[in-house]
Amino acid sequence: MRRPILAANWKMHKTKGEARAFVEAFLPLVADADSVDIVLAPPFPLLDCVGQALAGSAVALASQNVHPAEQGAFTGEVAAGMLADLGCRYAIVGHSERRALFGESDAFVASKATALLARDVLPIVCIGETLEERESDRTFDVLRTQLDGSLIAVPAERAADVVVAYEPVWAIGTGRTATPEIAQEAHAFVRARLRERFGEAGERIRIQYGGSVKPENVRVLMSQPDIDGALVGGASLEPESFSKIVHFEV
Ligand code: PEP
């Protein structure tokens, strides 16, 4: 009942030429993948060119960040309306790299999600515990705090427009994937909390897993009942690799 969503987070990688070459190679590889949502999140300067290259395809465009203000004196920032104007369907917010390296709080992430929904750009809200938090048995407290804080302003009638990405920080870019059991346990916790918060609409929110997802491990992760997709960094940079992830059922 929840349509799988596989998203590529390119982080700060690729030139215009490399991005165009990716899309040219990637689209034919995923032309048959019509039962999943496929999303590419290039860096800001590539949104326009990747959006143009994706035109007419079913692959959606996403940004990796947004500023909550509508416009104004925010040097270096990008507003939700600008993303909508460029054809972004989704935007990643609250990625652990932004939380850790740029000090983003749950309240700031919440204001970004609100700004995006106002422009009908669907937020992919990232949450996840560090290794230290997991080893000191604080995983569920951290997930609850991040989830509640980051979604605090989302009304129940917009809940199904939100995607949550559970990304254990210790699994991002480390090659160390959460076992399917660990991932499912966290996803089930998140699902229960979403149900408490949004009622039936909480069942419709898609929860992606992120953290060293690769063609070799995506299938077993996606077979877990509460894992509805993947947010993929390193393995999304090559068309063949990301297309194998998109075809996880095959
Ligand atoms: C990410 O950055 O969201 C991510 C999951 O990265 P990787 O797949 O490289 O671990």
Side-chain angles (χ1 to χ4, degrees):
M1 79 169 179
R2 291 183 296 265
R3 190 172 158 90
I5 175 167
L6 294 309
N9 174 13
W10 284 356
K11 308 193 185 185
M12 200 168 71
H13 292 289
K14 294 196 189 293
T15 61
K16 259 197 317 195
E18 289 165 349
R20 277 202 205 98
F22 178 103
V23 174
E24 204 176 301
F26 182 66
L27 288 182
L29 295 175
V30 297
D32 60 338
D34 50 12
S35 55
V36 299
D37 287 338
I38 309 169
V39 182
L40 297 186
F44 283 139
L46 302 184
L47 283 173
D48 195 25
C49 111
V50 171
Q52 287 183 31
L54 293 176
S57 80
V59 177
L61 185 67
S63 82
Q64 299 173 16
N65 191 18
V66 66
H67 190 278
E70 271 195 35
Q71 58 180 6
F74 299 98
T75 301
E77 294 294 327
V78 175
M82 298 170 182
L83 299 178
D85 191 41
L86 281 168
C88 285
R89 178 74 180 134
Y90 299 89
I92 299 168
V93 292
H95 192 280
S96 64
E97 287 153 16
R98 297 220 55 90
R99 291 176 185 268
L101 302 173
F102 302 98
E104 294 197 3
S105 66
D106 292 326
F108 195 42
V109 175
S111 63
K112 293 178 181 213
T114 306
L116 289 168
L117 287 172
R119 294 291 184 159
D120 283 326
V121 180
L122 311 185
I124 298 177
V125 179
C126 303
I127 58 170
E129 81 287 359
T130 63
L131 187 58
E132 192 216 333
E133 288 162 344
R134 174 160 287 272
E135 286 178 343
S136 56
D137 277 337
R138 285 184 288 145
T139 296
F140 295 143
D141 285 344
V142 169
L143 295 183
R144 188 187 300 106
T145 302
Q146 290 184 346
L147 195 62
D148 291 0
S150 303
L151 300 184
I152 197 159
V154 176
E157 64 272 17
R158 297 302 306 272
D161 290 334
V162 172
V163 177
V164 172
Y166 166 63
E167 299 204 300
V169 178
W170 46 270
I172 296 179
T174 59
R176 184 177 165 185
T177 320
T179 63
E181 294 73 26
I182 287 177
Q184 168 56 27
E185 184 187 40
H187 280 236
F189 174 83
V190 171
R191 172 80 55 218
R193 191 67 190 156
L194 291 172
R195 238 187 270 117
E196 279 171 17
R197 168 82 170 76
F198 296 112
E200 188 274 326
E203 283 297 335
R204 287 184 285 137
I205 297 179
R206 293 177 292 179
I207 311 174
Q208 295 177 304
Y209 168 79
S212 298
V213 173
K214 305 184 239 345
E216 302 77 47
N217 59 25
V218 63
R219 191 172 178 178
V220 63
L221 287 162
M222 289 298 293
S223 67
Q224 303 302 311
D226 289 296
I227 299 185
D228 310 313
L231 181 55
V232 187
S236 75
L237 291 169
E238 295 300 328
E240 293 75 19
S241 162
F242 190 49
S243 91
K244 284 183 189 156
I245 290 172
V246 164
H247 288 99
F248 65 89
E249 283 164 323
V250 181

